[in-house]
Amino acid sequence: SAPLRAHAEARGKFVGAALATSPLANETAYRSIAASEFNQVTAENAMKWDATEPSRNQFNFTGADQIMAFAEQNDQQVHGHTLVWHSQTPSWVQNLGATEMREAMQNHISRVAGRYAGNPVLTSWDVVNEVFDDNGNLRTSFWYQKLGESYIADAFRYARAADPDATLCINDYNVEGVNAKSTAMYNLVKSLRAQNVPVDCVGLQSHLAIQYGFPNIRENMQRFADLGVEVRVTEIDVRMQTPRDAAKDATQATYYSDVVKACVAVSRCSGVTVWGFTDKYSWVPDTFPGQGAALIYDENYGKKPAYTAVHDALAGD
Ligand code: G3I
């Protein structure tokens, strides 16, 4: 049957995967599925600050360009991830004083987003990532502590200046359903747009777990859509206690299906990106010991029930 991307394209949506540079360079099966099934890709790590500017004003685009070249070869769009985050940011940035930190942020955005400006493959950026804590307060990261809340608006303005055509996103986790954190995100996006800060898009990471229940994602997507912003599912995976079994796989498949169906139902939802695609490579077991099997292919590149669920939700079967 037709690959995921054919069904997504028929709906004017994307279906994407986060890609890691090492298997992309070294494994035929990885490369072949990444090319044939997805029409959008995100660099899992290669476009982050520690990869692109490890030392001050010393840029390295090796991994980022590898992802871009793959996408160009395979007629895929690239979502840039991520310009400003508290994690995977070198200590030289964290140790700067306020004035120099703001300048470093502007320079970083201008060089990284600027590199791909005008390239039709790079269509969007996560400008800021995970600015909230789990209670819906602004996270007291080094960005916030040194620069105050204004670092967020500044980051969006710098990104618009660097790449006027890119869709600019704010991205976070645990904001899939209507809850305190997603309401804080909603209020921030509304307030930024009222001040003409160029926020175009809200990314719902969607790192879900079958043991925690399914969020009311469609209702939440719709309220953001009603603000006039694009929404997208940027990093879905659905973890479980390992080992897998048929019952857990079936539950996981309903989570994937319901997320994709929500995006299909909300016209301002542009698409869904899976955070990886094979259980062979996933951040989950490293971060949550005893959990995993979160993706739509198993570790031998076999399709799981979750794959069929995504396929059928996109196909409308
Ligand atoms: O590249 C080094 C390698 O040289 C070293 O030997 C090895 C030893 O630990 O580490 C390697 O770096 C790892 C890197 O992934 C590349 O594999 C880091 O330790 C590891 O921490 C890093 O994890 C990434 C994580 O972000 C970091 O916060 C995951 O791959 C990546 O999937 C994850 O992605 C995040 C999104 O960016 C934002 N949303 C949440 C999501 C999941 O945490």
Side-chain angles (χ1 to χ4, degrees):
S1 95
L4 302 181
R5 63 182 290 171
H7 296 294
E9 278 156 24
R11 293 187 181 279
K13 310 258 183 197
F14 65 76
V15 61
L19 299 183
T21 51
S22 171
L24 195 64
N26 297 317
E27 277 189 53
T28 307
Y30 186 96
R31 205 162 41 242
S32 142
I33 293 170
S36 59
E37 292 287 342
F38 305 101
N39 61 356
Q40 185 272 339
V41 300
T42 304
E44 186 175 2
N45 289 296
M47 293 190 181
K48 293 172 180 175
W49 197 313
D50 60 353
T52 52
E53 193 186 4
S55 315
R56 193 172 184 177
N57 214 26
Q58 304 280 310
F59 289 86
N60 182 340
F61 293 108
T62 309
D65 287 353
Q66 182 193 339
I67 299 288
M68 290 291 293
F70 183 81
E72 280 160 13
Q73 283 157 24
N74 295 297
D75 193 22
Q76 296 164 316
Q77 29 171 301
V78 173
H79 175 65
H81 173 81
T82 174
L83 294 170
V84 176
W85 191 22
H86 61 275
S87 185
Q88 286 175 287
T89 303
S91 51
W92 70 263
V93 182
Q94 305 188 35
N95 293 335
L96 295 173
T99 303
E100 294 206 3
M101 188 181 285
R102 201 176 295 272
E103 283 168 10
M105 182 175 84
Q106 180 170 22
N107 185 53
H108 183 79
I109 292 173
S110 136
R111 290 287 302 274
V112 177
R115 181 175 182 84
Y116 305 111
N119 185 329
V121 166
L122 190 306
T123 50
S124 53
W125 274 103
D126 286 328
V127 176
V128 296
N129 191 41
E130 301 172 6
V131 303
F132 291 105
D133 69 21
D134 274 340
N135 300 318
N137 301 308
L138 286 177
R139 184 189 292 272
T140 52
S141 64
F142 63 88
W143 294 113
Y144 182 86
Q145 288 183 344
K146 292 266 175 66
L147 303 181
E149 181 173 354
S150 65
Y151 86 90
I152 298 171
D154 284 347
F156 278 97
R157 293 188 177 110
Y158 299 152
R160 182 67 100 221
D163 185 350
D165 298 324
T167 298
L168 303 182
C169 304
I170 180 170
N171 190 50
D172 217 320
Y173 60 88
N174 290 348
V175 293
E176 292 72 36
V178 175
N179 59 37
K181 188 173 180 180
S182 66
T183 297
M185 170 85 97
Y186 178 89
N187 290 332
L188 177 63
V189 169
K190 191 174 175 183
S191 147
L192 289 170
R193 286 169 62 86
Q195 299 164 71
N196 292 315
V197 177
V199 182
D200 305 313
C201 148
V202 172
L204 312 178
Q205 291 186 7
S206 307
H207 294 292
L208 305 178
I210 61 170
Q211 63 272 27
Y212 296 144
F214 188 77
N216 51 347
I217 191 167
R218 180 170 169 179
E219 178 187 343
N220 191 44
M221 280 180 173
Q222 190 60 53
R223 71 171 170 162
F224 282 103
D226 291 343
L227 276 183
V229 288
E230 180 192 312
V231 293
R232 51 173 64 199
V233 173
T234 50
E235 308 184 9
I236 190 173
D237 45 31
V238 183
R239 62 187 185 270
M240 60 179 69
Q241 303 285 345
T242 48
R244 306 162 54 197
D245 62 31
K248 291 184 227 176
D249 278 6
T251 303
Q252 178 187 58
T254 68
Y255 278 51
Y256 273 102
S257 175
D258 289 347
V259 167
V260 173
K261 283 178 179 165
C263 186
V264 165
V266 173
S267 61
R268 280 191 202 271
C269 181
S270 52
V272 174
T273 304
V274 182
W275 201 244
F277 61 89
T278 165
D279 290 337
K280 187 171 183 179
Y281 302 109
S282 168
W283 69 289
V284 171
D286 293 337
T287 303
F288 299 101
Q291 298 182 53
L295 293 166
I296 63 177
Y297 286 81
D298 68 23
E299 50 280 282
N300 301 312
Y301 297 106
K303 291 173 178 171
K304 293 163 65 181
Y307 173 92
T308 307
V310 171
H311 178 277
D312 292 355
L314 288 170
D317 299 350

